[in-house]
Amino acid sequence: MFNLVLFGPPGAGKGTQSIQIAEKYHLAHISTGDIFRREIRDETPLGLRVKGIIEKGELVPDELLIDLLRSAMHKYDGGRGFIFDGFPRTLRQAADLDDLLEEDGEKVNLTLALEVEDQELITRLLIRAEREGRKDDTREVIANRLNVYQTQTRPLIDYYRKQGKFRAVAGQGTIEEIFGRLCKEIDVSLSSR
Ligand code: AMP
């Protein structure tokens, strides 16, 4: 299996790129943000529990993520691998993901980070707010999400870099250009296995 983590601040284009990567490399796409939005829409107990947290731009507590992830992964048993989009976001989640994959004799093979300047991220997120009306795309919540990314998620770069699994990719340019850069890194990683 090939397991890929796509990593980057809100608005970096993780969702768009993950869908294309999943299709090209036949990976199962797991977006924890999409899972939570579905739970909120369906007003499930989990959805009701996380709604306020997500609307403020905070992270959902780590202990709620692991079971969610386990059941999302089990749906795709026997596939070629996963692309994790928006997960892990904390060191605890990264360790949990390692444990979960290890249960099946698997590991994270590659972590790719999309790098985009803050000003560009804010512009993109405000445009998305108009188009999609996501409740966490207001100016205030965006600032909080960028801050949460810097303080809680960025430390993961070192975690993966120490394991020689981390590659940064410029997240500016057209969707096709960025996709091309990501594919190049994936191809290198696949061919060196
Ligand atoms: P996203 O669509 O990935 O930007 O996720 C939207 C929101 O869902 C985030 O701002 C968090 O509140 C929550 N969320 C998604 N994934 C995670 C995660 N791995 N850990 C904690 N919270 C998450």
Side-chain angles (χ1 to χ4, degrees):
M1 276 171 84
F2 185 74
N3 298 306
L4 173 68
V5 171
L6 189 62
F7 181 85
K14 296 187 296 289
T16 310
Q17 296 294 340
S18 294
I19 292 167
Q20 298 198 26
I21 292 170
E23 201 176 325
K24 174 165 177 180
Y25 295 95
H26 307 285
L27 302 176
H29 174 208
I30 295 188
S31 157
T32 44
D34 283 350
I35 296 174
F36 286 134
R37 277 184 288 279
R38 216 173 303 134
E39 298 278 332
I40 292 172
R41 190 198 58 208
D42 295 346
E43 299 183 341
T44 65
L46 176 65
L48 296 174
R49 174 139 184 225
V50 301
K51 188 169 187 274
I53 300 174
I54 291 180
E55 286 177 1
K56 279 195 277 222
E58 304 288 339
L59 292 185
V60 171
D62 288 334
E63 55 276 16
L64 292 183
L65 267 294
I66 192 73
D67 288 339
L68 194 82
L69 202 76
R70 184 180 275 114
S71 65
M73 284 168 71
H74 281 167
K75 271 196 217 147
Y76 297 103
D77 268 351
R80 287 201 213 173
F82 294 98
I83 175 164
F84 298 100
D85 160 11
F87 181 91
R89 264 172 150 106
T90 63
L91 285 166
R92 157 87 193 275
Q93 290 180 19
D96 284 348
L97 178 61
D98 286 346
D99 291 345
L100 205 57
L101 288 168
E102 213 177 285
E103 285 173 16
D104 297 322
E106 293 294 333
K107 60 178 182 171
V108 170
N109 295 91
L110 178 65
T111 303
L112 292 175
L114 285 168
E115 295 198 322
V116 181
E117 311 237 312
D118 271 11
Q119 200 44 54
E120 163 94 14
L121 293 172
I122 294 168
T123 308
R124 287 188 195 178
L125 289 166
L126 290 172
I127 292 172
R128 183 168 82 184
E130 282 185 16
R131 228 182 21 224
E132 297 176 19
R134 258 177 67 161
K135 286 232 174 64
D136 57 351
D137 279 344
T138 63
R139 201 173 272 279
E140 206 179 50
V141 177
I142 289 169
N144 193 29
R145 286 162 65 209
L146 290 173
N147 184 39
V148 164
Y149 174 78
Q150 291 299 339
T151 54
Q152 302 194 54
T153 307
R154 251 190 99 79
L156 286 179
I157 291 180
D158 265 351
Y159 178 83
Y160 288 115
R161 191 176 268 144
K162 280 189 192 131
Q163 301 175 41
K165 294 177 181 171
F166 178 81
R167 309 288 298 166
V169 168
Q172 250 124 338
T174 65
I175 291 176
E176 291 72 28
E177 281 165 351
I178 301 164
F179 183 58
R181 287 177 206 135
L182 292 168
C183 291
K184 216 187 224 166
E185 295 293 348
I186 295 169
D187 292 341
V188 169
S189 175
L190 281 169
S191 66
S192 66
R193 291 205 304 156

